[in-house]
Every structure is written in C-alpha cells, then in structure tokens.
Amino acid sequence: MAEGAAEAPAESGGGGDSGASAPERGVAPIKPQYLTTKEQFHEFLEARGQEKPSQETEARDPGGNDLVEPEAKRIRLEDGQTGEAAEPGEQPQAQKRARGQNKGRPHMKPTRYDNNRLCPSLVQESAAKCFFGDRCRFLHDVGRYLETKPSDLGPRCVLFETFGRCPYGVTCRFAGAHLGPDGQNLVREEWVQAPPVRNGLDKALQQLLRKRKVRFERAEQALRQLSRDRVPGPSPAAAVPEVTGAESAPGQDGGDTQQALPGPDAGALPSGSVWTRGPLTDEDVVRLRPCEKRKLDIHGKLYLAPLTTCGNLPFRRICKRFGADVTCGEMAVCTNLLQGQTSEWALLRRHQCEDVFGVQLEGAFPDTMTKCAELLNRTIEVDFVDINVGCPIDLVYKKGGGCALMNRSAKFQQIVRGMNQVLDVPLTVKIRTGVQERVNLAHRLLPELRDWGAALVTLHGRSREQRYTKLADWQYIEQCVTAASPMPLFGNGDILSYEDANRAMQTGVAGIMIARGALLKPWLFTEIKEQRHWDISSSERLAILQDFTRYGLEHWGSDTQGVEKTRRFLLEWLSFLCRYVPVGLLERLPQRINERPPYYLGRDYLETLMASQKAADWIRISEMLLGPVPPNFVFLPKHKANAYK
C-alpha cells in the first residue's frame, strides 16, 4: 500500500499561537525558553531574511494571505465555524465539501518548457538532422537559444562530475562547467560511466505495449485455470475475468499480431486455446514449484514504506544511507504500466544501492494485475512485488482497488493467486485493519492470504475511514500476528523513535515498516539501529538536503525542467521535515508522531527557518540549494489536502 501525505488536523499547521503557555494535548512539549508566538516567530525570520528575492511576494495576495496554501485549507472549519479567510460570496457548505479534496491545486501541464526550447536533436548532438524538419516547433539556432536562456545556477554540474558527461549540453543549468570555448559539450572519457539505475523502459517494448501487440501466455494460462477452479464469489460471472474499457490489457486486440514478452520463453506458446509447437526451454521442461521460488528473508529488518510523491528514488537513496534495509518503489497503476506510460515506468527504477528492492502495484481486476505481474517478471529486476490493498483515496477506492479489495474477496483471491502463479519472485501484500473504523477485517483475511500464496503481509494499524485521526492500533496488530502465523507479518504505524520501534517489535511482528517517520527524520533508521536519540544539528540537516538535491539532479536532470522537478519534490519533503522538533529542544523524549510542534525559536537561524510551516520559507530553503525560483512559481503541497495512500 502506497503512502503519500498526512491529513490529520493536528498536522495542518493551523493554530499553535499559544506561545509560552502550558503544553496542550497533541502539542510537542518544548522547553519554555524556546517557545514564542506566531508573530514573533515570523518577525524573527523576516528580520534575518531581508535579502529574499522578489519572487516570493508573487506567491501572496494583496491581503497578505499565503496563496501557496490551497484556499480550502486556509479555511479552517473546526466545530462548524468558518475561518476568517472565507470569501464573502461563498456558501459555507461548498467550503466544507472542498476541504481535503485538493481543489486549489493546478492540474495543467506547464507550457513554459516549450518556449524557446532547443530541439532535442541538437541537445543530444545527433549526427542526423531533425526528424520533423521544417515542421519542428523547437529552436535550431543555438545562439538564439543562449540569448534567452537563464543564467547558470552554479559553477559545478553534478552529472558532469559524477558520470564524466552531461547529456543536457547547452540546456544544462550548470552548463558553464562542461562547455568548451566554442560552445561544445566537453566529455571526460576517463570518468564516463553508465548511470547506476536499472529497470528502465525499453523503447521497443514501449511501442509493442502501445500497439497492444504483447502476448501474456503465463497470465492467460493462470486466468483460465482460475476460471476453471470456479473461485467462490457473488455470482458465476464474477469468477471470469472481464476486460472492458480502460482496464483492458494489451494483447486483447485480436486484429493485431501479438509478440511474446522478452525473456527465456520469448518464442513460447501463443495466446489462445490452441497450443502449438515450439522450441523447448528449461522453464518449459522444469517449472518452478511454489516451494522453489526465491525466498524473501527480511525478518527483523527496517522496511521503508512505498511513499507516494515523496518516496522517489533520491529520497530512497537518502534513507539507504541512514540504514534502511528494504525499499519499495512508489505505487504504480497496473493499467498505466500495460499501456507503456513513461511516467509510470519511472516509478519502477532502482538504484544500485537498493540491495533489497520491490515494486508496488495497484489494480482492481485479476486480468490486468496478473498480466502486469508477468510483464514486470520478465522486464525488470526486483526482489518482490507488493499488492496495494490499503490505498484509501476515492480515486482508487471507487474503482475497486486499494482498500476496496478487502471487501471483494473473490477478486482479491483471483489477483493474489494469479499474480503468484506468474511471478518468480515472492508476492507480498499491504493491507489496513479494514474499511470502516470499528469493523476489522485483517484477522479474517490473513489466513486466506497465507493459503493463497502471499509470502509476507504488512498491516497498517488504521482503517480507511479512520485515516490519520487516531493512533495506529498495535494491540490489534499483535492479535493478527497469531492469525497470520507462520506467514511473517510486518507492522506499520506511528514509529518515530527507537522506543516506538522496540515496542512494536514486542508485539511479535517479523519487522516494522516506516512511513511518515522517515519523512519527518530519515535518520530514524540510524537511531533505531544504534538505540539512541540523535540531536542532529541544522547544518547536518542542510547537508542531507544538499545530498537530496544532488541525487535529484542526477535522477530528473540538470536542465530547467529537471531543476524545477527537483525543487518540487524537495518542497514536498520540506512540508514534512518542518514538523520535526530537535531533540535538544524537547522537555520530554521522544517526540510523538501525533504531536504538532508549537512556534519556537531554534538554536540558530537555520534551525528556526526549518521549523517554519509556511511554503514561502520552504521555497527560501530551496533557493539556498537550487538558486532563485523562476517567475510565477507557486507551490501547493499535496499532503495538505491529500491523505496517505
């Protein structure tokens, strides 16, 4: 189950004006000498930030309100009262419906990348001319492009220093580090190396997927077997997988000649009911039995949860440095993968430092999930595949995926059994306690998941309805350990210190998964392994952000689009990091995950700046790392309006 962003009222950043008053319930206990008021806090930051760029004022409205916060979230509807930010003509009911629905977030693709953009044929220094010729909408005049290109952001290029060559050439925002006197792109042959990232999408396979010319022999065989077994369900038709609309998978179009997936049996049997002859392979002669599958031995290890938006490859590299043992890619929608969408396949990419790595799939139908599992089994390198059965958002739930599968036992069984038959790696599942708050389902599903072939299950101790309004129920997780035995069960929820981790392990779980705790402080893995509280300094935290920026430029690119994407994900992460309270400022250890920090002044200016919950201050931190923001830049943090998936 993918994790995304928190929605609990205590984490919205509202309130906290208590100053030096007595600690309140749900408020982190900070030493009185550090407490302050909201006005004094921002006055202190403004006094030390006179040199901030003028672009920051563009993110405000004439009334002084911070527009980087969605309108619906600035209206605090507590106890049925409308906040002071309400517009005179708006209806209170409409405002209430808008809360939590991310209404203020723009959904259009930025067009500024296409203005005065250099043709890719020139960027890549291709020997051939532009494929589109006179119809090309990009620039072919390098001199004209350089006249309008913004100034470099720094004298050093991360890609050039790391790999010996920057593929972005003159479009790089650090191009001065690798451009010769005549504008040519320099290459250090002795440093040239391939990027240490695997699981990319092959262009030939992408074309086959888009043209629906890929066969899924093992998946179709597994689906036929499931259909013959007559899996119990509400009706006989429910046991037969159907392919309709957007959920239909490549390879269903009978009018095209289909091709088998690349792999050991690329010349294997074609789809259909007629089995033809062909060359035998080892897999045809001796197929792996379930007991001979690769084993997933992660007992007692620290598992970084698949975090939507924030759990990208650069963030996972940060967590690996601090001791995360197991990592998992962000939630990927199986239908998008089967359609060959580049953006969805990017979620599967794996860095060489991720020694135990898995991917998480989301889907609602056995045919698409099984075929996607076969596709990934042949094309990428993973140690396990996880099924998302915990996503609470309506976009997924109303289509029958995520948490909805917990109430669709027939489809759930077909998905697990079908995927397990076509995978050569272990299959894991991530679930919640249930859909409704007081109706737990996990203890009934765990024995069935064990019989269906799941190698491991992770249980998040909350229901879909509950979201993040209450603490995770670890007592129920302890009961589920017995129900799942001998299948290993991992626990997830509210782990922010090594004491929390120790209490979680006492429930008998095989290991713990860490989600929000890693977002608030990625050095949590080190604290757990060394059994200590780390009073990390602001300069050390800034160094972590510098490493993330460098990893981001390596991953997303060093041109304008790559820099802005790196900044965007950095800001999303800063919206979580601001909720961390340094150990030296706390009256009581440890900080609890449901305690919001009040306004306080840190031990230095940078520590205070990192505690700000204003997006304008997060942007100021990003400017320390990536230079000034572009004109008209507006950041709306996703987690302020979305729930964790």
Side-chain angles (χ1 to χ4, degrees):
M1 182 178 71
E3 304 284 343
E7 184 182 43
E11 297 165 357
S12 299
D17 300 64
S18 57
S21 60
E24 304 174 11
R25 182 180 180 182
V27 178
I30 295 180
K31 296 176 181 177
Q33 61 266 33
Y34 296 107
L35 291 174
T36 185
T37 63
K38 179 179 180 180
E39 293 75 15
Q40 293 174 347
F41 177 85
H42 291 299
E43 285 176 5
F44 175 77
L45 292 181
E46 293 295 331
R48 297 290 301 271
Q50 295 296 332
E51 69 281 357
K52 63 181 182 294
S54 60
Q55 287 91 339
E56 184 178 326
T57 60
E58 298 177 5
R60 299 173 178 270
D61 67 357
N65 294 321
D66 193 0
L67 291 184
V68 295
E69 185 76 359
E71 181 71 19
K73 296 301 288 184
R74 290 194 293 110
I75 302 171
R76 297 294 299 156
L77 297 176
E78 297 178 353
D79 301 325
Q81 299 296 323
T82 305
E84 60 182 3
E87 296 293 337
E90 287 187 290
Q91 297 295 327
Q93 288 299 323
Q95 294 169 356
K96 188 172 183 179
R97 285 196 299 269
R99 286 196 71 230
Q101 298 301 317
N102 222 357
K103 299 296 185 182
R105 191 175 183 87
H107 294 281
M108 70 288 291
K109 182 179 179 181
T111 58
R112 58 182 176 272
Y113 299 132
D114 296 336
N115 299 330
N116 298 325
R117 184 175 176 181
L118 197 63
C119 180
S121 63
L122 296 177
V123 176
Q124 300 169 5
E125 299 177 349
S126 175
K129 294 183 179 181
C130 177
F131 177 79
F132 295 96
D134 296 336
R135 295 181 292 111
C136 182
R137 58 192 177 95
F138 298 124
L139 288 176
H140 291 79
D141 187 348
V142 178
R144 180 183 169 190
Y145 169 79
L146 292 176
E147 291 176 359
T148 59
K149 179 191 173 186
S151 58
D152 285 356
L153 297 176
R156 303 172 61 184
C157 176
V158 172
L159 293 171
F160 182 66
E161 293 183 353
T162 305
F163 305 114
R165 180 181 181 275
C166 178
Y168 297 94
V170 294
T171 63
C172 175
R173 294 302 305 275
F174 309 87
H178 50 76
L179 289 185
D182 298 328
Q184 72 275 22
N185 196 24
L186 301 179
V187 178
R188 293 185 178 178
E189 298 292 346
E190 66 277 9
W191 289 5
V192 172
Q193 57 175 313
V197 176
R198 290 171 282 177
N199 296 350
L201 175 59
D202 182 73
K203 290 295 182 183
L205 176 60
Q206 184 182 41
Q207 291 297 323
L208 292 176
L209 289 172
R210 289 178 174 176
K211 295 179 180 179
R212 304 164 67 89
K213 291 185 177 181
V214 177
R215 297 197 312 253
F216 300 94
E217 295 89 353
R218 294 180 64 178
E220 291 172 357
Q221 180 182 359
L223 292 170
R224 285 194 297 269
Q225 182 177 346
L226 289 175
S227 178
R228 289 195 300 268
D229 291 345
R230 309 293 294 178
V231 176
S235 64
V240 181
E242 297 181 359
V243 182
T244 58
E247 291 290 340
S248 62
Q252 294 296 317
D253 189 356
D256 292 333
T257 303
Q258 300 176 350
Q259 299 187 22
L261 290 171
D265 56 349
L269 305 170
S271 59
S273 59
V274 180
W275 291 73
T276 61
R277 298 177 180 177
L280 290 176
T281 65
D282 292 340
E283 188 174 357
D284 294 321
V285 178
V286 183
R287 289 192 176 274
L288 290 175
R289 294 180 296 171
C291 62
E292 297 174 330
K293 273 193 173 185
R294 301 178 193 172
K295 300 297 182 182
L296 183 64
D297 185 13
I298 57 174
H299 190 279
K301 295 187 180 296
L302 300 179
Y303 186 168
L304 174 64
L307 298 156
T308 299
T309 303
C310 292
N312 45 65
L313 186 144
F315 177 77
R316 298 199 303 269
R317 291 181 64 181
I318 293 291
C319 293
K320 285 296 295 184
R321 278 182 42 205
F322 285 111
D325 299 311
V326 184
T327 56
C328 186
E330 302 174 64
M331 179 188 74
V333 181
C334 64
T335 51
N336 295 342
L337 294 173
L338 290 170
Q339 292 167 6
Q341 292 188 14
T342 305
S343 59
E344 207 73 17
W345 277 81
L347 304 178
L348 311 178
R349 300 179 72 179
R350 172 184 188 174
H351 193 267
Q352 64 180 7
C353 70
E354 299 180 274
D355 48 350
V356 182
F357 174 76
V359 295
Q360 188 183 69
L361 300 181
E362 182 278 323
F365 297 94
D367 56 343
T368 53
M369 291 289 280
T370 304
K371 291 176 180 179
C372 187
E374 181 182 357
L375 175 66
L376 300 188
N377 189 66
R378 297 292 183 85
T379 55
I380 65 174
E381 298 179 21
V382 292
D383 298 295
F384 63 93
V385 174
D386 188 69
I387 304 177
N388 182 330
V389 194
C391 184
I393 64 172
D394 292 341
L395 182 67
V396 173
Y397 180 81
K398 290 183 178 180
K399 293 182 178 179
C403 279
L405 285 175
M406 299 185 71
N407 285 330
R408 304 171 68 218
S409 58
K411 294 292 184 186
F412 193 11
Q413 178 179 357
Q414 287 180 317
I415 288 173
V416 175
R417 292 178 59 193
M419 293 179 67
N420 193 45
Q421 288 187 42
V422 301
L423 285 172
D424 295 331
V425 296
L427 180 68
T428 67
V429 183
K430 188 163 190 274
I431 62 175
R432 286 181 179 249
T433 58
V435 178
Q436 297 175 325
E437 183 175 353
R438 303 183 186 278
V439 183
N440 292 330
L441 302 175
H443 64 283
R444 301 208 311 259
L445 286 174
L446 287 170
E448 296 180 345
L449 285 169
R450 179 188 60 212
D451 298 336
W452 297 343
L456 179 144
V457 174
T458 302
L459 175 58
H460 183 185
R462 294 183 179 88
S463 64
R464 175 186 184 265
E465 187 178 80
Q466 180 184 348
R467 296 292 178 95
Y468 284 81
T469 56
K470 294 182 181 179
L471 293 175
D473 190 352
W474 279 93
Q475 292 183 349
Y476 180 65
I477 294 178
E478 185 174 7
Q479 299 174 15
C480 290
V481 171
T482 304
S485 180
M487 179 181 65
L489 180 72
F490 268 55
N492 171 229
D494 300 338
I495 296 175
L496 192 60
S497 65
Y498 74 88
E499 289 103 326
D500 296 335
N502 293 343
R503 283 192 294 269
M505 292 301 297
Q506 290 173 3
T507 62
V509 293
I512 55 176
M513 173 183 281
I514 300 175
R516 283 185 300 167
L519 292 173
L520 268 63
K521 52 176 187 180
W523 53 92
L524 174 60
F525 301 98
T526 301
E527 290 188 353
I528 294 175
K529 290 188 173 181
E530 298 181 0
Q531 294 288 291
R532 66 181 178 96
H533 294 293
W534 185 353
D535 190 8
I536 191 169
S537 66
S538 60
S539 58
E540 289 175 311
R541 293 164 66 189
L542 185 64
I544 295 173
L545 298 178
Q546 289 173 336
D547 291 337
F548 177 85
T549 302
R550 188 173 71 253
Y551 298 156
L553 293 175
E554 290 182 18
H555 183 59
W556 291 299
S558 58
D559 59 346
T560 299
Q561 190 169 355
V563 169
E564 291 196 20
K565 190 170 290 187
T566 302
R567 189 192 303 274
R568 173 204 160 196
F569 286 107
L570 172 64
L571 292 172
E572 289 283 358
W573 187 22
L574 285 171
S575 67
F576 286 92
L577 286 173
C578 67
R579 287 152 41 190
Y580 167 73
V581 180
V583 171
L585 276 60
L586 289 170
E587 279 191 324
R588 165 187 50 78
L589 293 177
Q591 177 187 0
R592 293 169 184 164
I593 204 164
N594 63 328
E595 295 177 339
R596 59 175 172 83
Y599 286 97
Y600 66 90
L601 297 179
R603 292 165 290 188
D604 54 50
Y605 173 73
L606 183 58
E607 192 168 75
T608 306
L609 182 63
M610 289 181 172
S612 175
Q613 298 184 17
K614 290 180 60 178
D617 292 324
W618 307 335
I619 292 174
R620 191 186 307 178
I621 295 175
S622 76
E623 291 175 332
M624 298 178 183
L625 306 168
L626 289 167
V629 298
N632 302 322
F633 179 84
V634 175
F635 170 67
L636 301 175
K638 275 189 176 181
H639 87 275
K640 291 293 185 181
N642 280 359
Y644 269 13
K645 296 180 183 178

